[in-house]
């Protein structure tokens, strides 16, 4: 679901935001303040798309397709609660127009599905589950409706109001209503025969829609539309910018020299309205469940990065779950979320800033308010550069620093510096920009007795309500080791604040081994071992063995010797010409081959996944002899590396990998990586 929020948020903000500069700093209202304090909430994408294996439906799907065998909204909500979420938003209606509740205003809903003989109501079960587990309930309602015959006509606005009224009247309190920005045709992605209707920029009656929300759900935050309370963060990758303001200018005052999405990601220092960001990202590559993505659930290190780069950068995290065709969250996803919560609990288990510390500043008034764990009390800086200093009275080790501004009086800090005491001198640890509601710095472990935070620039005297320090257990997963066709080896650590050491002689790596900084040449047969250190802590050893050099490998009928299927990168792919469904490799010399490995295209919209195979050898690249043939089991839903053994080695210069059946009837072969087995 690639939302076009630039229409829903930037272009339509003009209708609501005044271009007049404000004399006072913009401030959040009580509703925005309570929303910000939630910090992490969940999205749930489940609908007809789950059963058609699509992200954006066409609106012509039969309701008969919707038939979850074991739908359990309580399972979804309990997982969210166990993962520390404070609220959950359900896609009640996506762009295809299919409604998860028995709407009185359309036939395109669960009431015409076989699920519960048409008597079911997913929104009702979802609402009841949220109440049972004490989580706030939110609803997503797409303004775009591919199914409704009046879409694009004035009558549709009333239809949308009717459906909005149903949702906001019949299911209890709603804490957030989510209006998507995609609309008309295929949004901004072009049109096809089923998506030809387009609309004017001012087609929707946003004032009328928002009035309904305000009247029926006065405590409901509005995402999107012409009068939003919050803004999109500018991407779906899960990160706010390091400099991140909760304030925004009107659309006509956006810079013409910087992309609108980037400005949404950063906000505006001189913004005239308080419009905090929401960082929406999915646990999987897609928003809806696709069995082919079961092996692509985000790793624990990636989820931790997402937290620190959203909540830790003054944004709110909206993390998406994708129930499967049974109506259940997949075990891989649920286990990953619980791991994530456990890791976060460990990261913030012990605050090193406590009553035993000694606090000092060049402005001592209300000094302890910055350390009393009461958000509503704060220390205020002076007019000149002010600092907060913490003496732990003993040497402590830390790798996290958390700072919060008292944002009910506006976001103020423009620049700050952190120093720590080492060998009788102050040493700079970090130099940063904004803070906002919450800023969390990550860094390599330091051991010190004192730290000092200096507020170097601000729109008004800084108001600091909390400073905390932690020594989080470093998540030291195995590093990933790759080699490209030229023999250059790259080592990637999942821990951003760790140091990588490696060996190529078969010995176990340690802190005394070679330190990795840039890719290095190691062509031919070699085993690379690597380990990640953070301080004295280290993770498991990663190991990758590489075979013969691929430098001379080419694909017949193509001129390039540097090809995606040999580059060691699973996220790049080689795609055959239409109708060929085969790849013919020239090794450049005769070699002994005992088998090969095939990794299909790993793209979100994969191309050319081979369902079966035939392997041929040749000494001249023209006459081919069949070596082996077979089928891949469940490769469409599990497109991982496939190993094919020949039984006995074959000496050959040329090898052909061919298929006669490709997933989804496609007429190409896609290869992310192709390699040989020599033993």
């Amino acid at each position: 679901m690639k939302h076009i929020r630039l229409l829903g948020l930037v272009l339509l903000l003009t209708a609501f935001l005044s271009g007049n500069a404000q004399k006072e700093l913009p401030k959040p209202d009580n509703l925005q303040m309570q929303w910000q304090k939630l910090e992490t909430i969940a999205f749930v994408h489940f609908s007809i798309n789950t059963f058609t294996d699509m992200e954006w439906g066409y609106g012509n799907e039969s309701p008969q397709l919707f038939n979850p065998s074991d739908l359990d909204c309580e399972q979804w909500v309990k997982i969210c609660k166990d993962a520390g979420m404070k609220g959950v938003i359900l896609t009640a209606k996506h762009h295809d127009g299919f409604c998860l509740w028995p709407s009185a205003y359309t036939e395109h809903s669960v009431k015409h599905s076989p699920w519960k003989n048409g008597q079911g109501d997913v929104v009702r079960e979802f609402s009841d589950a949220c109440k049972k587990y004490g989580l706030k309930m939110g609803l997503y309602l797409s303004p775009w409706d591919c199914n409704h015959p009046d879409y694009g006509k004035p009558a549709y606005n009333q239809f949308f109001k009717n459906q909005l009224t149903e949702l906001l009247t019949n299911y209890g309190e709603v804490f957030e209503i989510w209006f998507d920005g995609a609309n008309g045709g295929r949004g901004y992605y072009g049109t096809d025969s089923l998506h030809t209707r387009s609309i004017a920029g001012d087609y929707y009656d946003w004032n009328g829609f928002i009035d309904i929300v305000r009247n029926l759900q006065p405590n409901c935050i509005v995402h999107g539309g012409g009068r939003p309370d919050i803004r999109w963060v500018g991407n779906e990758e899960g990160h706010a910018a390091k400099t991140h303001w909760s304030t925004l200018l009107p659309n006509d005052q956006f810079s013409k020299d910087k992309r609108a999405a980037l400005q949404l990601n950063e906000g505006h220092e001189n913004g005239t309205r308080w419009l905090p960001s929401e960082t929406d990202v999915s646990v999987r590559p897609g928003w809806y469940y696709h069995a082919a993505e079961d092996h692509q659930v985000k790793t624990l290190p990636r989820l931790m990065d997402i937290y620190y780069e959203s909540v830790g950068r003054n944004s709110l995290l909206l993390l998406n779950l994708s129930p499967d065709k049974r109506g259940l969250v997949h075990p891989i996803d649920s286990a990953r979320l619980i791991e994530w919560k456990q890791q976060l609990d460990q990261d913030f288990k012990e605050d090193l800033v406590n009553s035993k510390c000694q606090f000092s500043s060049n402005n001592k008034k209300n000094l302890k308010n910055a350390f009393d764990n009461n958000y509503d009390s704060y220390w205020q800086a002076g007019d000149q550069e002010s600092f907060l200093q913490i003496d732990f009275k003993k040497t402590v080790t830390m790798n996290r620093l958390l700072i919060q501004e008292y944002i009910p009086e506006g976001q103020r800090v423009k620049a700050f510096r952190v120093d720590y005491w080492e060998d009788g001198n102050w040493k700079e640890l970090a130099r940063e920009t904004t803070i906002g509601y919450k800023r969390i710095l990550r860094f390599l472990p330091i051991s010190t007795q004192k730290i000092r935070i200096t507020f170097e620039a601000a729109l008004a005297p800084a108001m600091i309500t909390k400073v905390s320090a932690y020594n989080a257990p470093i998540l030291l997963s195995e590093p990933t080791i790759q080699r490209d066709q030229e023999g250059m080896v790259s080592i990637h650590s999942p821990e951003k604040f760790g140091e990588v050491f490696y060996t190529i002689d078969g010995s176990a790596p340690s802190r005394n081994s070679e330190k990795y900084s840039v890719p290095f040449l190691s062509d031919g047969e070699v085993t690379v071992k690597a380990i990640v250190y953070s301080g004295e802590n280290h993770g498991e050893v990663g190991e990758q063995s590489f075979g013969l050099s691929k430098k001379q490998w080419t694909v017949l009928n193509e001129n390039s010797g540097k090809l995606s299927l040999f580059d060691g990168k699973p996220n790049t792919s080689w795609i055959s010409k239409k109708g060929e469904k085969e790849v013919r490799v020239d090794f450049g010399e005769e070699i002994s081959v005992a088998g090969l490995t095939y990794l299909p295209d790993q793209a979100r919209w994969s191309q050319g996944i081979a369902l079966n195979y035939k392997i041929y050898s040749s000494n001249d690249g023209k006459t081919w002899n069949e070596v082996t043939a077979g089928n891949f089991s469940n490769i469409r839903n599990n497109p991982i590396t496939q190993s094919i053994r020949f039984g006995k080695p074959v000496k050959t210069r040329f090898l052909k990998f061919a298929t006669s059946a490709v997933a989804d009837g496609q007429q190409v072969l896609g290869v992310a990586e192709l390699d040989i087995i020599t033993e």
Side-chain angles (χ1 to χ4, degrees):
M1 180 184 69
K2 194 65 178 176
H3 306 297
I4 311 303
R5 298 173 182 84
L6 299 185
L7 179 62
L9 285 170
V10 179
L11 298 180
L12 294 178
L13 280 173
T14 310
F16 183 73
L17 299 178
S18 168
N20 297 324
Q22 299 180 17
K23 294 181 180 179
E24 295 185 359
L25 292 177
K27 301 173 184 177
D29 58 30
N30 289 333
L31 189 60
Q32 290 170 318
M33 194 66 232
Q34 294 306 310
W35 174 86
Q36 186 88 57
K37 288 182 176 180
L38 296 175
E39 298 194 0
T40 59
I41 59 177
F43 228 161
V44 174
H45 276 67
F46 179 73
S47 189
I48 198 76
N49 290 340
T50 308
F51 298 87
T52 59
D53 206 26
M54 296 184 68
E55 287 287 296
W56 281 16
Y58 289 103
N60 63 347
E61 297 84 2
S62 169
Q64 292 293 309
L65 295 173
F66 186 84
N67 192 20
S69 58
D70 299 291
L71 188 138
D72 187 353
C73 292
E74 287 193 13
Q75 186 235 17
W76 311 349
V77 176
K78 185 177 185 303
I79 288 170
C80 293
K81 183 178 180 66
D82 291 345
M85 308 292 189
K86 301 301 190 296
V88 194
I89 301 173
L90 173 67
T91 52
K93 184 187 80 168
H94 204 248
H95 311 325
D96 49 74
F98 184 79
C99 299
L100 292 183
W101 78 101
S103 175
Y105 301 98
T106 182
E107 301 306 303
H108 198 50
S109 79
V110 290
K111 65 185 178 184
H112 288 297
S113 75
W115 177 62
K116 294 193 172 181
N117 297 316
Q119 302 303 306
D121 185 340
V122 179
V123 178
R124 170 66 59 200
E125 295 189 17
F126 174 70
S127 172
D128 291 345
C130 288
K131 292 173 184 175
K132 177 175 178 178
Y133 288 101
L135 268 63
K136 295 180 179 294
M137 179 189 71
L139 295 171
Y140 167 113
L141 186 65
S142 171
W144 181 23
D145 191 319
C146 297
N147 175 267
H148 201 277
D150 286 337
Y151 183 76
K153 303 175 184 177
Y156 177 79
N157 274 308
Q158 185 57 51
F159 166 77
F160 189 79
K161 290 177 183 177
N162 292 338
Q163 289 202 318
L164 182 61
T165 299
E166 282 183 317
L167 289 175
L168 299 184
T169 302
N170 299 329
Y171 297 98
E173 186 169 353
V174 177
F175 87 99
E176 181 172 335
I177 187 75
W178 225 89
F179 297 131
D180 206 331
N183 59 77
R186 284 291 280 176
Y188 276 87
Y189 298 115
T191 60
D192 53 41
S193 61
L194 290 170
H195 297 91
T196 56
R197 292 175 290 183
S198 62
I199 63 170
D202 61 352
Y203 168 66
Y204 295 122
D205 180 14
W206 285 117
N207 285 332
F209 299 166
I210 305 305
D211 284 344
I212 290 174
V213 178
R214 302 300 185 214
N215 291 332
L216 297 178
Q217 296 281 348
N219 296 319
C220 182
I221 281 282
V222 175
H223 174 284
R227 292 163 55 187
D229 298 307
I230 57 177
R231 75 178 194 263
W232 177 46
V233 78
N235 62 70
E236 292 181 347
E237 282 71 55
H239 60 85
K242 285 186 176 182
T243 297
H244 196 74
W245 294 94
S246 293
T247 51
L248 206 67
L249 288 167
N251 174 56
D252 60 5
Q253 294 181 33
F254 269 45
S255 171
K256 301 297 190 294
D257 300 324
K258 185 182 292 186
R259 290 187 300 109
L262 182 57
Q263 294 180 69
L264 289 170
N265 193 241
E266 296 177 345
H268 296 125
E269 176 186 324
N270 60 338
T272 53
R273 174 155 186 231
W274 191 270
L275 209 67
S277 72
E278 183 176 67
T279 299
D280 62 322
V281 61
S282 184
V283 171
R284 290 166 169 259
W287 293 91
Y288 285 94
Y289 176 81
H290 308 288
E293 295 177 352
D294 283 350
H295 70 302
Q296 293 179 307
V297 174
K298 287 182 172 58
T299 64
L300 180 55
R302 180 69 192 114
L303 287 179
M304 294 301 294
D305 284 345
I306 286 171
Y307 175 84
Y308 282 109
E309 294 172 8
S310 57
V311 177
R313 291 183 180 172
N314 186 38
S315 188
L316 180 140
L317 174 58
L318 175 59
L319 188 62
N320 181 69
L321 295 179
S322 312
D324 59 24
K325 292 181 180 181
R326 300 170 302 166
L328 299 173
V329 175
H330 195 281
I332 297 175
D333 305 53
S334 59
R336 188 62 41 78
L337 281 183
I338 299 306
E339 290 174 350
W340 177 64
K341 175 59 164 58
Q342 291 171 343
Q343 184 68 33
L344 284 173
D345 287 345
Q346 288 297 311
D347 279 16
F348 302 104
K349 184 177 182 180
E350 181 184 1
D351 188 352
L352 301 173
V353 179
N354 52 51
S355 59
K356 297 179 181 179
C357 298
Q358 180 180 331
F359 309 110
S360 58
S361 172
N362 53 356
N363 181 24
K364 295 182 173 57
K365 185 178 180 180
N366 298 320
L367 177 58
K368 289 192 176 182
N369 286 356
F371 310 101
D372 63 0
N373 292 315
N374 178 3
Y375 187 82
D376 293 320
S377 68
Y378 55 86
W379 164 86
Q380 183 167 325
D383 292 332
Q384 303 301 320
E385 281 195 7
S386 294
F387 66 86
L388 288 171
Q389 185 170 309
I390 306 169
D391 186 341
F392 297 98
K393 308 303 289 183
K394 62 179 181 179
T395 299
V396 298
T397 300
M398 69 178 70
N399 54 20
R400 303 284 189 274
L401 184 67
L402 182 153
I403 312 174
Q404 290 188 268
E405 283 188 80
Y406 184 69
I407 60 172
E409 292 299 325
Q411 186 177 352
R412 302 182 169 209
V413 177
K414 294 173 55 176
F416 69 99
R417 186 183 76 248
V418 181
D419 300 294
Y420 67 100
W421 190 253
E422 182 180 71
D423 297 330
N425 296 291
W426 287 107
K427 184 175 181 180
E428 186 175 299
L429 175 64
R431 189 179 290 271
E432 300 291 347
T433 54
T434 54
I435 295 176
Y437 171 73
K438 181 174 284 189
R439 185 67 189 273
I440 308 173
L441 305 184
R442 291 186 290 174
F443 42 87
L444 284 170
I446 60 168
S447 293
T448 186
Q449 183 177 318
K450 294 184 287 188
I451 61 169
R452 183 176 64 194
I453 306 166
T454 304
F455 302 95
E456 298 183 318
L459 299 178
M463 293 178 171
I464 304 300
T465 182
K466 185 178 180 64
V467 177
S468 295
Y470 303 90
N471 187 32
I474 301 299
L475 188 59
L476 297 170
S477 301
E478 293 181 15
T480 300
I481 306 168
Q482 298 174 337
R483 188 175 75 177
D484 67 17
Q485 189 175 358
E486 296 301 302
M488 297 300 292
V489 177
S490 301
I491 306 176
H492 304 280
S493 169
E495 169 53 54
K496 289 186 175 180
F497 299 91
E499 298 175 295
V500 177
F501 298 86
Y502 71 93
T503 63
I504 58 174
D505 60 2
S507 63
S510 70
R511 185 172 276 284
N512 296 321
S513 302
E514 189 77 18
K515 184 177 179 179
Y516 176 80
S517 57
V518 295
F520 58 91
L521 180 65
S522 186
D523 204 12
E525 297 187 66
V526 66
T527 295
V528 180
K529 297 181 180 181
I531 192 168
V532 183
Y533 274 84
S534 181
E536 295 305 314
N537 298 321
H538 64 81
E540 297 296 321
V541 173
E543 180 177 330
Q544 184 67 51
S545 294
F546 300 103
L548 301 176
S549 172
K550 300 179 184 177
K551 189 175 295 185
Q552 304 303 319
W553 292 15
T554 60
V555 172
L556 295 184
N557 303 323
E558 293 196 21
N559 296 324
S560 174
K562 297 180 181 179
L563 296 160
S564 298
L565 72 170
F566 306 139
D567 66 2
K569 300 176 181 178
N571 58 335
T572 62
S573 294
W574 174 90
I575 308 297
S576 73
K577 294 178 181 179
K578 187 175 181 179
E580 284 193 354
K581 294 188 289 187
E582 65 180 34
V583 58
R584 291 163 290 164
V585 178
D586 180 358
F587 299 122
E589 61 181 350
E590 185 178 79
I591 61 175
S592 178
V593 182
L596 62 81
T597 60
Y598 160 62
L599 178 66
D601 180 19
Q602 298 293 293
R604 185 172 175 185
W605 309 113
S606 56
Q607 297 186 68
I609 297 179
L611 302 180
N612 60 21
Y613 61 87
K614 282 190 177 181
I615 311 297
Y616 302 85
S617 66
S618 173
N619 289 319
D620 57 11
K622 298 178 181 179
T623 303
W624 297 93
N625 301 307
E626 183 176 323
V627 177
T628 188
N631 297 289
F632 295 122
S633 176
N634 196 34
I635 192 173
R636 175 65 181 85
N637 292 328
N638 193 28
I640 61 175
T641 299
Q642 309 291 316
S643 295
I644 304 168
R645 293 270 180 180
F646 294 166
K648 61 180 182 179
V650 174
K651 288 188 176 182
T652 184
R653 171 172 172 170
F654 302 91
L655 202 69
K656 178 166 66 174
F657 175 89
T659 183
S660 61
V662 176
D664 304 319
Q666 296 176 351
Q667 295 302 305
V668 296
L669 170 66
V671 185
E673 286 296 309
L674 194 70
D675 206 348
I676 63 169
I677 301 171
T678 58
E679 297 179 351

